């Protein structure tokens, strides 16, 4: 299986190119790039006030206000420091880079810029990982509507953190393939006892969401991760956040890849069958036709 990149390569490559050109003493160029990412996220890279020596990276998330309730602003200030500026109109977070003042840790700055979406997401997970580490229980459950019809739930207990993704399957085939993938995740615990427990429920929400307004339906699925202290402690939590915040995209990406692979195999097999049928077609024998006088002729 392929792990999706947690960083945005377009942000990193664009910003890295601008910084390298500035270090080489080249004249700065205008940049104006708008592009999308998973979960309806929108990026914008531009020169604020037409100043080519400044590069602004902005991100828009439809659910950012919900992340703010869980400390997103504080986490971004901690990570980006002076690069964090007032957000551009129509966006939630903006970073500003000065090409006339390039820091010595250029590679790390570029990498963190590419991790902007991940760092926005990280706030809710860090908050509840800390609750678990401090032994707090009874804190209200986090609800993040990260897509129009899909929700992320995070809840902390003394001995674990439960993360539930609700997802919508567009086709009936997606449900079948999704169940196969989730079964593989369940089997993963046999190979590695340190892996988190993974549960999958179809149509009905899990028991953790029994008394909520969680969606119910034939095309609704719930994936539950039970994270234990070995997954949430300070030495491993960054990797846990990196993997879990992209899980929904990871699942649907592999469902689409599986369907494409199946369709490719079906087309190839159909082509083979047609070749067999064409070879099996009997040839029509040409019969000689003669006149009364014994002469042969062929029909035109």
């Amino acid at each position: 299986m392929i792990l999706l990149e947690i960083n945005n390569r377009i942000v990193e490559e664009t910003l890295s190119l601008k910084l390298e050109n500035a270090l080489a003493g080249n004249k700065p160029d205008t940049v104006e790039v708008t592009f999308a990412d998973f979960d309806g996220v929108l990026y914008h890279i531009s020169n604020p006030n037409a100043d080519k020596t400044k590069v602004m990276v902005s991100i828009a998330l439809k659910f950012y206000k919900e992340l703010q309730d869980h400390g997103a602003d504080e986490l971004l200030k901690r990570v980006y420091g002076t690069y964090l500026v007032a957000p551009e109109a129509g966006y939630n977070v903006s970073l500003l880079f000065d090409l006339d003042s390039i820091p010595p840790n250029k590679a790390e700055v570029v990498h963190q810029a590419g991790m902007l979406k991940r760092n926005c997401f990280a706030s809710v997970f860090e908050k509840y990982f800390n609750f678990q580490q401090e032994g707090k229980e009874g804190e209200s459950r986090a609800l993040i509507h990260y897509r129009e019809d899909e929700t992320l739930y995070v809840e902390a207990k003394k001995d674990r953190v439960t993360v539930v993704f609700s997802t919508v399957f567009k086709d009936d085939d997606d449900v079948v393939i999704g169940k196969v993938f989730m079964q593989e995740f369940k089997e993963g615990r046999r190979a590695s006892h340190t892996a988190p427990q993974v549960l999958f429920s179809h149509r009905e929400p899990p028991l953790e969401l029994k008394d909520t307004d969680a969606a119910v339906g034939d095309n609704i699925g719930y994936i539950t991760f039970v994270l234990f202290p070995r997954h949430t402690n300070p030495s491993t939590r960054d990797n846990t956040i990196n993997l879990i915040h992209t899980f929904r995209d990871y699942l649907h990406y592999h469902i689409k890849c599986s369907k494409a692979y199946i369709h490719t195999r079906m087309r190839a097999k159909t082509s083979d069958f047609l070749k067999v049928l064409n070879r099996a077609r009997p040839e029509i024998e040409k019969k000689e036709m003669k006149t009364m006088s014994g002469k042969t002729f062929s029909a035109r």
Side-chain angles (χ1 to χ4, degrees), residues 18-36:
K18 294 299 177 184
L19 294 177
E20 288 174 1
N21 284 341
L23 285 174
N26 298 329
K27 185 178 179 181
D29 298 326
T30 301
V31 60
E32 180 65 34
V33 185
T34 303
F35 52 96

Side-chain angles (χ1 to χ4, degrees), residues 192-234:
S192 175
H193 296 293
T194 61
Q197 184 179 6
V198 182
L199 306 172
F200 177 72
S201 57
H202 179 220
R203 297 188 182 93
E204 299 288 339
L207 294 177
E208 290 86 354
L209 306 178
K210 186 177 181 180
D211 299 327
T212 67
D213 58 351
V216 177
D218 292 337
N219 64 334
I220 303 295
Y222 289 89
I223 304 99
T224 303
F225 288 87
V226 182
L227 305 176
F228 298 102
R230 61 176 174 269
H231 307 118
T232 62
N233 65 70

Side-chain angles (χ1 to χ4, degrees), residues 2-201:
I2 299 173
L3 290 177
L4 301 180
E5 293 181 341
I6 60 174
N7 58 309
N8 190 287
R9 187 173 295 188
I10 298 177
V11 171
E12 291 194 11
E13 291 182 354
T14 303
L15 187 58
S16 179
L17 179 62
K18 294 299 177 184
L19 294 177
E20 288 174 1
N21 284 341
L23 285 174
N26 298 329
K27 185 178 179 181
D29 298 326
T30 301
V31 60
E32 180 65 34
V33 185
T34 303
F35 52 96
D37 201 346
F38 293 114
D39 304 320
V41 174
L42 193 67
Y43 283 95
H44 183 217
I45 305 177
S46 62
N47 301 119
N49 301 320
D51 185 353
K52 296 180 181 180
T53 63
K54 304 289 192 300
V55 177
M56 178 174 283
V57 179
S58 301
I59 186 173
L61 304 94
K62 296 179 181 178
F63 48 91
Y64 186 73
K65 289 184 178 180
E66 296 175 342
L67 295 176
Q68 284 180 306
D69 295 336
H70 299 286
D73 291 337
E74 290 74 16
L75 186 145
L76 294 177
K77 288 177 183 177
R78 187 181 78 224
V79 173
Y80 296 106
T82 57
Y83 296 110
L84 188 67
V85 296
E88 180 184 358
Y91 293 84
N92 303 113
V93 180
S94 293
L95 305 176
L96 184 63
F97 301 92
D98 188 352
L99 300 183
D100 291 333
S101 179
I102 299 176
N105 58 336
K106 176 176 69 70
E108 177 62 20
V109 170
V110 170
H111 177 66
Q112 286 299 335
M115 298 276 280
L116 183 56
K117 177 191 169 187
R118 179 266 183 201
N119 290 331
C120 290
F121 253 114
S123 58
V124 63
F125 293 109
E126 285 196 4
K127 177 181 177 180
Y128 283 83
F129 289 175
N130 289 334
F131 284 162
Q132 184 276 320
Q133 189 176 10
E134 296 165 4
K136 292 183 178 179
E137 192 169 1
E139 299 290 339
S140 60
R141 182 188 297 114
L143 275 76
I144 308 296
H145 298 87
Y146 65 100
R147 280 177 174 255
E148 186 175 346
D149 300 320
E150 301 180 359
T151 309
L152 166 69
Y153 304 86
V154 186
E155 186 175 14
K157 301 290 185 181
K158 289 183 178 180
D159 59 342
R160 64 188 183 276
V161 174
T162 304
V163 180
V164 183
F165 290 89
S166 75
T167 188
V168 177
F169 296 104
K170 301 297 183 183
D171 302 318
D172 293 338
D173 296 339
D174 291 2
V175 178
V176 176
I177 299 174
K179 286 182 178 180
V180 174
F181 271 97
M182 300 320 303
Q183 185 62 37
E184 288 297 317
F185 275 95
K186 288 183 180 180
E187 296 295 330
R189 279 181 62 82
R190 297 183 180 181
S192 175
H193 296 293
T194 61
Q197 184 179 6
V198 182
L199 306 172
F200 177 72
S201 57

